[in-house]
Amino acid sequence: MLESQKVLIVDDDKTWQAFLSAHLHDKYSVLAAYDGDIGLKLAREWLPDLIFLDIEMPNKNGFEVLGATKDIAFNVIFTTAYQQYAIKAIKFSALDYLLKPIDADELKEAMFRFKQKQKNEQRDKQLNLLFGNLKSNSNYNRLSLSTSEGVIFINTIDILYCEASGGYTFFYMKNGDKLITSKTMKDYEELLPTNQFFRIHHSYLINLGEIKRYIKGDGGLAIMSNNAEL
């Protein structure tokens, strides 16, 4: 029989700690910590496969715990009640998170994503991008995209435009690449800077610096630098 995977919950809120434990203990080995210091100690001694990591905690916050465990291979899902700049940094890094109050279905989807990627070989790059974003605390120039081929890191300035297609978003790049992600256009519209990107249509979010020409008419037509007519 295979040993069950280890899940560490680091959260000072006993309600959500109990909620996560109740939903996970049947399939995983679960341990919990009520503050960052204990969480860091358990992460180093127990070597979990996945850590649910609260951001605001006594002693050490979630980012401090993460920064002190860069040498340990595990996946992380942030849990927080605060929609602040940190959430944008997490999104830009393509790391997973759950907002409190945590929904059981959203937890189920997060665990499905965890099973799909397991110990992601791109984790170090994602963490470096996250900590760089947290330090800048302003405009972020690099974006992580989760694709079927893994995590891809791009510069936002290299995006020509984005196209919505159902629950997917296509990124058209200056070098001719076409990248597909399973997140919606709305996710990226909220992330990308409004002074650089504008949604001209329900299907298109464009880099304003890459418009070659605008044709007036019924709804208008934007000609991009690659001659795409949107």
Side-chain angles (χ1 to χ4, degrees):
M1 183 176 178
L2 293 174
E3 183 181 352
S4 60
Q5 290 182 298
K6 301 174 183 178
V7 176
L8 175 61
I9 302 166
V10 187
D11 196 320
D12 65 328
D13 189 324
K14 293 183 179 181
T15 299
W16 294 114
Q17 197 178 105
F19 172 87
L20 290 169
S21 295
H23 282 79
L24 297 171
H25 79 275
D26 284 344
K27 295 182 179 179
Y28 302 91
S29 296
V30 180
L31 282 182
Y34 293 102
D35 67 31
D37 281 339
I38 298 172
L40 175 57
K41 184 174 184 291
L42 287 175
R44 291 206 159 276
E45 293 178 353
W46 197 47
L47 301 178
D49 299 287
L50 171 66
I51 297 182
F52 283 90
L53 192 57
D54 191 12
I55 294 178
E56 301 292 338
M57 292 184 294
N59 298 324
K60 285 183 174 63
N61 66 35
F63 296 124
E64 289 172 322
V65 172
L66 194 59
T69 54
K70 280 187 176 182
D71 58 322
I72 305 173
F74 60 82
N75 279 283
V76 62
I77 299 175
F78 290 101
T79 58
T80 181
Y82 303 99
Q83 284 184 294
Q84 54 186 13
Y85 78 91
I87 295 298
K88 188 172 183 180
I90 291 167
K91 286 182 177 180
F92 256 82
S93 308
L95 291 162
D96 216 344
Y97 72 98
L98 292 169
L99 280 178
K100 299 174 182 176
I102 299 170
D103 178 80
D105 288 336
E106 291 178 353
L107 172 59
K108 186 176 179 180
E109 291 172 5
M111 293 309 294
F112 174 77
R113 290 192 294 270
F114 160 65
K115 290 176 185 176
Q116 292 292 105
K117 64 184 180 183
Q118 294 298 305
K119 289 183 176 68
N120 197 311
E121 62 183 10
Q122 297 284 7
R123 175 180 175 271
D124 289 345
K125 290 182 181 179
Q126 287 176 282
L127 292 184
N128 289 337
L129 181 55
L130 170 66
F131 288 118
N133 286 339
L134 289 170
K135 286 178 183 177
S136 71
N137 191 17
S138 56
N139 292 326
Y140 309 142
N141 297 318
R142 283 182 63 76
L143 176 67
S144 294
L145 300 179
S146 292
T147 73
S148 59
E149 299 176 356
V151 179
I152 296 174
F153 299 84
I154 63 172
N155 294 316
T156 57
I157 197 171
D158 292 330
I159 301 168
L160 281 173
Y161 62 92
C162 304
E163 180 182 9
S165 179
Y168 294 86
T169 302
F170 299 137
F171 278 75
Y172 292 83
M173 309 300 294
K174 288 183 183 179
N175 64 2
D177 286 350
K178 180 182 178 181
L179 309 175
I180 305 173
T181 76
S182 58
K183 290 188 177 181
T184 66
M185 178 82 83
K186 185 175 184 296
D187 292 320
Y188 294 110
E189 184 180 12
E190 292 173 354
L191 276 183
L192 293 168
T194 55
N195 64 340
Q196 185 182 359
F197 291 88
F198 183 72
R199 192 162 186 172
I200 60 170
H201 182 268
H202 72 271
S203 293
Y204 295 109
L205 176 68
I206 68 169
N207 183 343
L208 293 171
E210 294 300 318
I211 297 179
K212 185 164 70 172
R213 196 155 56 101
Y214 176 74
I215 299 175
K216 294 181 179 179
D218 186 16
L221 190 67
I223 312 298
M224 305 303 292
S225 59
N226 67 342
N227 293 318
E229 299 181 357
L230 310 179

mmCIF file of all heavy atoms in Angstrom, residues 183-202:
data_model
loop_
_atom_site.group_PDB
_atom_site.id
_atom_site.type_symbol
_atom_site.label_atom_id
_atom_site.label_comp_id
_atom_site.label_asym_id
_atom_site.label_seq_id
_atom_site.Cartn_x
_atom_site.Cartn_y
_atom_site.Cartn_z
ATOM 1 N N LYS A 183 -7.264 29.754 -17.466
ATOM 2 C CA LYS A 183 -7.914 30.814 -16.700
ATOM 3 C C LYS A 183 -8.685 31.719 -17.652
ATOM 4 O O LYS A 183 -8.378 31.809 -18.839
ATOM 5 C CB LYS A 183 -6.884 31.613 -15.904
ATOM 6 C CG LYS A 183 -6.276 30.814 -14.760
ATOM 7 C CD LYS A 183 -5.411 31.693 -13.883
ATOM 8 C CE LYS A 183 -4.860 30.911 -12.706
ATOM 9 N NZ LYS A 183 -4.028 31.756 -11.823
ATOM 10 N N THR A 184 -9.674 32.422 -17.110
ATOM 11 C CA THR A 184 -10.536 33.251 -17.949
ATOM 12 C C THR A 184 -9.901 34.612 -18.225
ATOM 13 O O THR A 184 -8.982 35.046 -17.522
ATOM 14 C CB THR A 184 -11.904 33.463 -17.282
ATOM 15 O OG1 THR A 184 -11.718 34.243 -16.078
ATOM 16 C CG2 THR A 184 -12.552 32.129 -16.933
ATOM 17 N N MET A 185 -10.424 35.269 -19.229
ATOM 18 C CA MET A 185 -9.972 36.614 -19.563
ATOM 19 C C MET A 185 -10.146 37.568 -18.375
ATOM 20 O O MET A 185 -9.310 38.444 -18.129
ATOM 21 C CB MET A 185 -10.765 37.142 -20.763
ATOM 22 C CG MET A 185 -10.413 38.552 -21.158
ATOM 23 S SD MET A 185 -8.952 38.614 -22.184
ATOM 24 C CE MET A 185 -9.690 38.256 -23.772
ATOM 25 N N LYS A 186 -11.220 37.383 -17.613
ATOM 26 C CA LYS A 186 -11.487 38.253 -16.465
ATOM 27 C C LYS A 186 -10.340 38.213 -15.463
ATOM 28 O O LYS A 186 -9.965 39.235 -14.893
ATOM 29 C CB LYS A 186 -12.796 37.835 -15.786
ATOM 30 C CG LYS A 186 -13.247 38.754 -14.650
ATOM 31 C CD LYS A 186 -14.603 38.326 -14.126
ATOM 32 C CE LYS A 186 -15.113 39.288 -13.058
ATOM 33 N NZ LYS A 186 -14.260 39.304 -11.852
ATOM 34 N N ASP A 187 -9.763 37.019 -15.273
ATOM 35 C CA ASP A 187 -8.627 36.898 -14.353
ATOM 36 C C ASP A 187 -7.481 37.796 -14.790
ATOM 37 O O ASP A 187 -6.863 38.481 -13.958
ATOM 38 C CB ASP A 187 -8.143 35.445 -14.301
ATOM 39 C CG ASP A 187 -9.139 34.512 -13.641
ATOM 40 O OD1 ASP A 187 -9.736 34.916 -12.637
ATOM 41 O OD2 ASP A 187 -9.332 33.391 -14.145
ATOM 42 N N TYR A 188 -7.193 37.801 -16.081
ATOM 43 C CA TYR A 188 -6.052 38.572 -16.573
ATOM 44 C C TYR A 188 -6.396 40.051 -16.744
ATOM 45 O O TYR A 188 -5.519 40.908 -16.594
ATOM 46 C CB TYR A 188 -5.546 37.969 -17.879
ATOM 47 C CG TYR A 188 -4.981 36.589 -17.668
ATOM 48 C CD1 TYR A 188 -5.628 35.458 -18.158
ATOM 49 C CD2 TYR A 188 -3.814 36.405 -16.937
ATOM 50 C CE1 TYR A 188 -5.122 34.185 -17.944
ATOM 51 C CE2 TYR A 188 -3.299 35.144 -16.715
ATOM 52 C CZ TYR A 188 -3.952 34.035 -17.215
ATOM 53 O OH TYR A 188 -3.447 32.776 -16.979
ATOM 54 N N GLU A 189 -7.641 40.351 -17.012
ATOM 55 C CA GLU A 189 -8.049 41.755 -17.105
ATOM 56 C C GLU A 189 -7.840 42.445 -15.756
ATOM 57 O O GLU A 189 -7.449 43.614 -15.694
ATOM 58 C CB GLU A 189 -9.516 41.846 -17.532
ATOM 59 C CG GLU A 189 -9.982 43.276 -17.753
ATOM 60 C CD GLU A 189 -11.443 43.360 -18.177
ATOM 61 O OE1 GLU A 189 -12.151 42.336 -18.088
ATOM 62 O OE2 GLU A 189 -11.876 44.459 -18.596
ATOM 63 N N GLU A 190 -8.100 41.721 -14.676
ATOM 64 C CA GLU A 190 -7.906 42.282 -13.341
ATOM 65 C C GLU A 190 -6.432 42.397 -12.972
ATOM 66 O O GLU A 190 -6.050 43.248 -12.172
ATOM 67 C CB GLU A 190 -8.621 41.396 -12.306
ATOM 68 C CG GLU A 190 -10.136 41.430 -12.420
ATOM 69 C CD GLU A 190 -10.811 40.420 -11.508
ATOM 70 O OE1 GLU A 190 -10.093 39.613 -10.870
ATOM 71 O OE2 GLU A 190 -12.049 40.443 -11.423
ATOM 72 N N LEU A 191 -5.600 41.553 -13.568
ATOM 73 C CA LEU A 191 -4.171 41.549 -13.243
ATOM 74 C C LEU A 191 -3.362 42.573 -14.023
ATOM 75 O O LEU A 191 -2.572 43.327 -13.460
ATOM 76 C CB LEU A 191 -3.587 40.161 -13.519
ATOM 77 C CG LEU A 191 -3.698 39.082 -12.457
ATOM 78 C CD1 LEU A 191 -2.976 37.828 -12.922
ATOM 79 C CD2 LEU A 191 -3.112 39.552 -11.135
ATOM 80 N N LEU A 192 -3.532 42.582 -15.336
ATOM 81 C CA LEU A 192 -2.664 43.385 -16.189
ATOM 82 C C LEU A 192 -2.943 44.876 -16.011
ATOM 83 O O LEU A 192 -4.090 45.286 -15.853
ATOM 84 C CB LEU A 192 -2.851 42.968 -17.653
ATOM 85 C CG LEU A 192 -2.350 41.549 -17.967
ATOM 86 C CD1 LEU A 192 -2.825 41.103 -19.339
ATOM 87 C CD2 LEU A 192 -0.838 41.467 -17.867
ATOM 88 N N PRO A 193 -1.906 45.713 -16.038
ATOM 89 C CA PRO A 193 -2.063 47.150 -15.754
ATOM 90 C C PRO A 193 -2.985 47.845 -16.756
ATOM 91 O O PRO A 193 -2.839 47.689 -17.963
ATOM 92 C CB PRO A 193 -0.630 47.687 -15.842
ATOM 93 C CG PRO A 193 0.129 46.663 -16.620
ATOM 94 C CD PRO A 193 -0.508 45.349 -16.327
ATOM 95 N N THR A 194 -3.921 48.627 -16.236
ATOM 96 C CA THR A 194 -4.927 49.285 -17.079
ATOM 97 C C THR A 194 -4.333 50.392 -17.944
ATOM 98 O O THR A 194 -4.934 50.780 -18.936
ATOM 99 C CB THR A 194 -6.052 49.871 -16.211
ATOM 100 O OG1 THR A 194 -5.484 50.752 -15.219
ATOM 101 C CG2 THR A 194 -6.821 48.765 -15.515
ATOM 102 N N ASN A 195 -3.156 50.894 -17.573
ATOM 103 C CA ASN A 195 -2.536 51.920 -18.420
ATOM 104 C C ASN A 195 -1.827 51.318 -19.622
ATOM 105 O O ASN A 195 -1.376 52.021 -20.514
ATOM 106 C CB ASN A 195 -1.567 52.776 -17.595
ATOM 107 C CG ASN A 195 -0.392 51.975 -17.062
ATOM 108 O OD1 ASN A 195 -0.454 50.751 -16.979
ATOM 109 N ND2 ASN A 195 0.666 52.671 -16.683
ATOM 110 N N GLN A 196 -1.727 49.973 -19.648
ATOM 111 C CA GLN A 196 -1.052 49.297 -20.761
ATOM 112 C C GLN A 196 -1.999 48.383 -21.543
ATOM 113 O O GLN A 196 -1.832 48.203 -22.752
ATOM 114 C CB GLN A 196 0.124 48.468 -20.229
ATOM 115 C CG GLN A 196 0.965 47.809 -21.310
ATOM 116 C CD GLN A 196 2.084 46.949 -20.735
ATOM 117 O OE1 GLN A 196 2.255 46.859 -19.522
ATOM 118 N NE2 GLN A 196 2.846 46.317 -21.610
ATOM 119 N N PHE A 197 -3.017 47.828 -20.860
ATOM 120 C CA PHE A 197 -3.924 46.881 -21.495
ATOM 121 C C PHE A 197 -5.371 47.354 -21.385
ATOM 122 O O PHE A 197 -5.784 47.887 -20.362
ATOM 123 C CB PHE A 197 -3.780 45.487 -20.856
ATOM 124 C CG PHE A 197 -2.471 44.832 -21.161
ATOM 125 C CD1 PHE A 197 -1.361 45.056 -20.353
ATOM 126 C CD2 PHE A 197 -2.330 44.006 -22.280
ATOM 127 C CE1 PHE A 197 -0.146 44.466 -20.646
ATOM 128 C CE2 PHE A 197 -1.116 43.413 -22.575
ATOM 129 C CZ PHE A 197 -0.023 43.649 -21.761
ATOM 130 N N PHE A 198 -6.109 47.133 -22.477
ATOM 131 C CA PHE A 198 -7.501 47.600 -22.533
ATOM 132 C C PHE A 198 -8.364 46.542 -23.210
ATOM 133 O O PHE A 198 -7.976 45.989 -24.249
ATOM 134 C CB PHE A 198 -7.580 48.920 -23.296
ATOM 135 C CG PHE A 198 -8.962 49.512 -23.338
ATOM 136 C CD1 PHE A 198 -9.531 50.067 -22.206
ATOM 137 C CD2 PHE A 198 -9.688 49.502 -24.524
ATOM 138 C CE1 PHE A 198 -10.807 50.600 -22.244
ATOM 139 C CE2 PHE A 198 -10.969 50.032 -24.567
ATOM 140 C CZ PHE A 198 -11.528 50.588 -23.428
ATOM 141 N N ARG A 199 -9.523 46.279 -22.624
ATOM 142 C CA ARG A 199 -10.428 45.285 -23.209
ATOM 143 C C ARG A 199 -11.341 45.983 -24.209
ATOM 144 O O ARG A 199 -12.241 46.732 -23.844
ATOM 145 C CB ARG A 199 -11.248 44.594 -22.115
ATOM 146 C CG ARG A 199 -11.984 43.357 -22.634
ATOM 147 C CD ARG A 199 -12.416 42.466 -21.499
ATOM 148 N NE ARG A 199 -13.003 41.214 -21.978
ATOM 149 C CZ ARG A 199 -13.318 40.196 -21.199
ATOM 150 N NH1 ARG A 199 -13.092 40.268 -19.892
ATOM 151 N NH2 ARG A 199 -13.845 39.099 -21.706
ATOM 152 N N ILE A 200 -11.106 45.738 -25.492
ATOM 153 C CA ILE A 200 -11.856 46.426 -26.546
ATOM 154 C C ILE A 200 -13.135 45.678 -26.924
ATOM 155 O O ILE A 200 -13.976 46.217 -27.642
ATOM 156 C CB ILE A 200 -10.992 46.610 -27.815
ATOM 157 C CG1 ILE A 200 -10.533 45.249 -28.359
ATOM 158 C CG2 ILE A 200 -9.797 47.513 -27.526
ATOM 159 C CD1 ILE A 200 -9.889 45.320 -29.728
ATOM 160 N N HIS A 201 -13.268 44.433 -26.453
ATOM 161 C CA HIS A 201 -14.356 43.559 -26.868
ATOM 162 C C HIS A 201 -14.428 42.442 -25.836
ATOM 163 O O HIS A 201 -13.463 42.215 -25.105
ATOM 164 C CB HIS A 201 -14.026 43.005 -28.269
ATOM 165 C CG HIS A 201 -15.082 42.126 -28.872
ATOM 166 N ND1 HIS A 201 -15.075 40.765 -28.718
ATOM 167 C CD2 HIS A 201 -16.159 42.422 -29.635
ATOM 168 C CE1 HIS A 201 -16.110 40.248 -29.361
ATOM 169 N NE2 HIS A 201 -16.781 41.232 -29.929
ATOM 170 N N HIS A 202 -15.549 41.745 -25.739
ATOM 171 C CA HIS A 202 -15.627 40.674 -24.738
ATOM 172 C C HIS A 202 -14.608 39.565 -25.009
ATOM 173 O O HIS A 202 -14.248 38.803 -24.116
ATOM 174 C CB HIS A 202 -17.044 40.105 -24.649
ATOM 175 C CG HIS A 202 -17.456 39.270 -25.816
ATOM 176 N ND1 HIS A 202 -18.050 39.814 -26.939
ATOM 177 C CD2 HIS A 202 -17.363 37.925 -26.041
ATOM 178 C CE1 HIS A 202 -18.300 38.831 -27.809
ATOM 179 N NE2 HIS A 202 -17.890 37.690 -27.285
#
